[in-house]
Amino acid sequence: MASEFDLIARYFTRAAPAGLLGVGDDCALFSVPPGEQVATSTDLLLEGRHFFSDVDPTALGHKALAVNLSDLAAMGARPLGCVLGLALPRVDEPWLAAFAQGFHALADAHGCPLIGGDTTRSAHDLAISVTVFGAVKADQAFLRSAARAGDDIWVSGELGAADLAYRLLDGQYPADPQRLAATRGALERPEPQVALGLALRGIAHAAIDISDGLLQDLGHVLAASSAGATLRYADMPVAAALAGLAEAPLRRAVLGGGDVYQLCFTAPAERREAVLAAARAASARVTRVGEIRAEPGLVVLDAGGRPMAELPRGFDHFPAA
Ligand code: ADP
Ligand code: MG
């Protein structure tokens, strides 16, 4: 039977890059270049709440880090390293090996080495907590409060696929293997938009990553910026796999669907060409979907230019009764 220390040595200890003290001491050590601040964020993933118990462990390792890298992307921060807290109901080494592989592969792809963590036994479910550290020049971080009236609102990637995959897996829709195959990657292996976040430094004003649904997440930007917005539904980058869905579930997926891990950001209208060039440099797709207004409120115009009456709500762990 492997001990806690065997497991850490086998699956979570990698040679740390030069200049950094990684797994094995009481603390990890890393430096931040002069003039930069540490950007840090943590996300807790619970079995049954954030992922299905039978999810592919490689994909889960990927996603546990991806949702955190996505927060760095939304600040325009460059990854420095991460730590991983694991509460395991049992020791299942093939599962751990696959989880670690998915985690380290994404960490390597983004230069975000695993430099520490904690491993304990859980009485019940699996819990995963990841904290990331990044570096950003203080005046270049994309604050939620930085949207300005007249800014364009942009969305990266596509919308809706993760919501559809979730509802298919959750049994809310009749089984549809073809649609599930086309959307599952978006839910289980989101690609954090770190390169886009970095490319947008000095161009974008406010940014947020879409984790709880476009309307809800943009709502946080509007509240922090004391501003309003108009969105054009017809301009939304809808995932191709949603073709043929009825209107109500389609709107819900596009406007309210969570787990997207793409960026919603604002930038001055004069910087459109710069935004497009940044997206090209980052090999990302970006779509202009609306404008920030001075008057508060979030209006979504339908294809005929009329405000939509009923807007889907995003995800909230503690909804008001
Ligand atoms: P401590 O008793 O000081 O908390 P531990 O015995 O828990 O130390 O951990 C030993 C070393 O292994 C530490 O450097 C810690 O950061 C690292 N570590 C423990 N669990 C993990 C994990 N899941 N991923 C990465 N590093 C880990
Ligand atoms: Mg410990």
Side-chain angles (χ1 to χ4, degrees), residues 4-5 8 12 23-26 84 86 114 116-119:
E4 173 192 337
F5 305 102
I8 295 167
F12 300 115
V23 170
D25 215 313
D26 296 311
L84 166 66
L86 271 180
L114 179 64
D118 202 20
T119 307

Side-chain angles (χ1 to χ4, degrees), residues 125-288:
D125 295 338
L126 173 65
I128 304 163
S129 168
V130 177
T131 301
V132 282
F133 304 98
V136 64
K137 289 210 175 74
D139 58 348
Q140 285 189 336
F142 309 134
L143 304 187
R144 292 181 183 188
S145 56
R148 293 292 167 261
D151 278 2
D152 292 323
I153 300 171
W154 298 80
V155 167
S156 70
E158 296 179 338
L159 298 169
D163 180 83
L164 180 53
Y166 173 78
R167 291 178 197 276
L168 283 166
L169 288 168
D170 197 40
Q172 298 180 30
Y173 293 142
D176 187 338
Q178 224 176 323
R179 268 202 215 276
L180 181 58
T183 54
R184 194 170 191 157
L187 177 68
E188 295 185 347
R189 299 191 64 100
E191 284 302 333
Q193 297 300 304
V194 176
L196 178 61
L198 293 173
L200 287 169
R201 284 176 301 183
I203 302 170
H205 280 165
I208 192 165
D209 65 322
I210 305 173
S211 54
D212 298 329
L214 173 62
L215 296 191
Q216 178 152 317
D217 289 318
L218 176 59
H220 296 314
V221 171
L222 299 181
S225 298
S226 304
T230 303
L231 295 176
R232 292 176 299 274
Y233 185 70
D235 293 348
M236 295 291 159
V238 179
L242 273 63
L245 272 195
E247 194 54 31
L250 181 62
R251 283 185 185 187
R252 184 173 64 184
V254 171
L255 297 175
D259 270 307
V260 179
Y261 300 108
Q262 292 290 340
L263 298 182
C264 172
F265 60 94
T266 82
E270 316 82 77
R271 304 302 306 276
R272 275 178 201 165
E273 283 309 317
V275 169
L276 293 172
R280 272 194 302 277
S283 303
R285 172 183 175 185
V286 293
T287 308
R288 197 154 48 82

